[in-house]
Amino acid sequence: MASGKNIYVENINDIPTPRGKIELVERKGIGHPDSVADALAETVSRALCKMYMKEFGTVLHHNTDETQIAAGKAAPRFGGGTIVNPTYILLVGRATTDVIQNGKLNELPCTPTALKAAHGYIKETFPNVDPDADIILDAKLGMGSDDLTGVYKTSGVLANDTSFGVGYAPYSITDRLVLETEEMINSPAFKKILPETGQDVKVMGSRVDNKLTMTIACAMVDRYIPDKTHYAAAVEDLYNRVNENALNIIDKSGEDIDFKLEINTGDNYDNDVYYLTVTGLSQEMGDDGSVGRGNRCNGLITPYRPMSMEATSGKNPITHIGKLYNVMSKLIADDIAAKVSPEVEVKVRILSQIGKPVSQPLNCSVQLVSQEVDAGKLNKWKSEAEQIAFDWLDNVDKVTNLIIDGKVRTF
């Protein structure tokens, strides 16, 4: 155990998840309602952080992790449909809305800052959405309670909750295929090639032994699709490009994978059932969204790996364990995996206590899962893992800065 940090490293003699019989991995793309909620919550948090730092040189208490999306109503049709009722988005959370300086009350522009940041994200990210007409954007940011804001008023950074964060590394071939497929489809370069594809892209990977099936649901944008024939051709084009990219990833990995791809399996051309949308987002009709119901901070949903139910996006990056420890756990796991062996599955879990220093968790558990039996290697890995965990916990501010600068993902 590392002195003062309660770090426990253990070697687990077992089959790592990527070598197990079954693996399931999911990613909700950037246009999924839950991901939109995550993105807006995080965008607002970062905007508030920058506003606070500009005004006071430090980040003040806030949490914007309760953003809600209520679906609208749309009438998609080949050649271009219409939005009947706009989507309603409510930015909800707590923030430091006023500060007393030299006996004078200074009120802060928290709500305008939040609305401007959210509007900018929507406009920049979703080109088929008119943020002024297709969406009703609202914000309700109230002052935080004294018992939680109090952790900002003490010396040192103290945890605002008794909670835990988890992470693992490295990514398996299933992880990589799911993540990189969604990122490719939603890249600006791909949209120039195939604008018919919307941003609401959900990817599910299922591996049984070496047989890997990837199922994709991709919203299609009606204004670029004049008829049924064009729709079918666009889906076929999408299939061919995704399949080629996936086979390239598999080939470079050196894995023996029997790959199968299926796209928009809910379509039924004979019955005129198509995944057709006006904006490329399913939130335009029928699908609501909430922060924390989608991807974890590694960008994936992984039922065969350790996961936290905490929402990472929107929580403050100074004291909120639900954010800091989830992000830090992944960073620790990544560094350990890079240091030891790609055959080792690294699992990290960090637990806090409210009011205690963030840099000194109640415990930090690191598990190194492998079938290695060489005692020398195992002891070396344990020592390296402990030092890496210690260094990250001793430099919590690095994690905070990475979050504020947008250099780590939260969904």
Side-chain angles (χ1 to χ4, degrees), residues 39-324:
L40 293 177
E42 187 64 13
T43 297
V44 169
S45 173
R46 288 174 56 199
L48 289 175
C49 285
K50 292 175 181 178
M51 185 267 287
Y52 289 141
M53 292 178 72
K54 180 180 178 180
E55 295 292 328
F56 305 103
T58 188
V59 176
L60 302 182
H61 177 265
H62 71 278
N63 289 306
T64 58
D65 57 336
E66 296 293 339
T67 294
Q68 298 290 321
I69 296 177
K73 185 178 181 181
R77 63 175 179 270
F78 291 117
T82 58
I83 297 296
V84 178
N85 290 320
T87 300
Y88 179 76
I89 298 178
L90 179 61
L91 309 173
V92 185
R94 302 291 98 187
T96 302
T97 57
D98 50 71
V99 173
I100 297 177
Q101 287 182 306
N102 301 320
K104 181 181 178 182
L105 180 66
N106 292 325
E107 295 184 293
L108 303 175
C110 293
T111 297
T113 297
L115 290 170
K116 181 178 180 181
H119 186 279
Y121 177 84
I122 294 169
K123 185 174 182 179
E124 180 181 352
T125 310
F126 306 119
N128 298 306
V129 175
D130 181 344
D132 298 312
D134 299 341
I135 288 174
I136 297 173
L137 192 58
D138 194 4
K140 300 292 182 183
L141 301 179
M143 191 73 176
S145 63
D146 287 340
D147 59 329
L148 293 180
T149 58
V151 297
Y152 278 83
K153 302 172 184 176
T154 57
S155 59
V157 179
L158 307 181
N160 81 332
D161 195 7
T162 299
S163 188
F164 62 87
V166 302
Y168 73 86
Y171 283 132
S172 68
I173 185 62
T174 313
D175 292 330
R176 288 189 54 210
L177 279 171
V178 169
L179 183 62
E180 294 178 28
T181 293
E182 187 275 334
E183 290 179 334
M184 181 195 76
I185 296 173
N186 273 329
S187 67
F190 192 88
K191 295 309 182 192
K192 289 180 180 179
I193 297 171
L194 202 57
E196 292 94 333
T197 57
Q199 276 78 27
D200 196 339
V201 179
K202 180 176 176 180
V203 184
M204 180 72 75
S206 168
R207 179 187 58 78
V208 179
D209 294 324
N210 75 326
K211 298 183 185 299
L212 201 160
T213 301
M214 189 159 67
T215 306
I216 298 176
C218 179
M220 307 298 283
V221 185
D222 61 6
R223 73 191 69 177
Y224 304 114
I225 304 175
D227 52 38
K228 302 174 185 179
T229 301
H230 190 110
Y231 180 96
V235 171
E236 183 178 3
D237 193 356
L238 173 62
Y239 177 96
N240 291 335
R241 294 178 187 278
V242 169
N243 192 64
E244 181 181 6
N245 183 66
L247 293 177
N248 284 336
I249 294 172
I250 294 170
D251 184 57
K252 290 177 181 177
S253 73
E255 299 266 6
D256 176 23
I257 296 293
D258 181 5
F259 181 70
K260 180 182 180 181
L261 173 65
E262 295 188 89
I263 296 179
N264 288 0
T265 55
D267 286 350
N268 188 320
Y269 295 174
D270 292 336
N271 294 325
D272 291 330
V273 177
Y274 307 92
Y275 192 1
L276 201 63
T277 65
V278 178
T279 62
L281 307 178
S282 63
Q283 70 184 36
E284 70 182 35
M285 190 168 77
D287 281 355
D288 302 322
S290 301
V291 176
R293 290 185 58 190
N295 311 316
R296 303 300 90 187
C297 73
N298 66 347
L300 300 169
I301 301 168
T302 53
Y304 278 73
R305 306 278 199 156
M307 288 175 55
S308 167
M309 293 180 66
E310 282 273 8
T312 302
S313 298
K315 288 180 166 64
N316 82 72
I318 305 295
T319 65
H320 210 304
I321 295 306
K323 176 168 236 160
L324 279 170

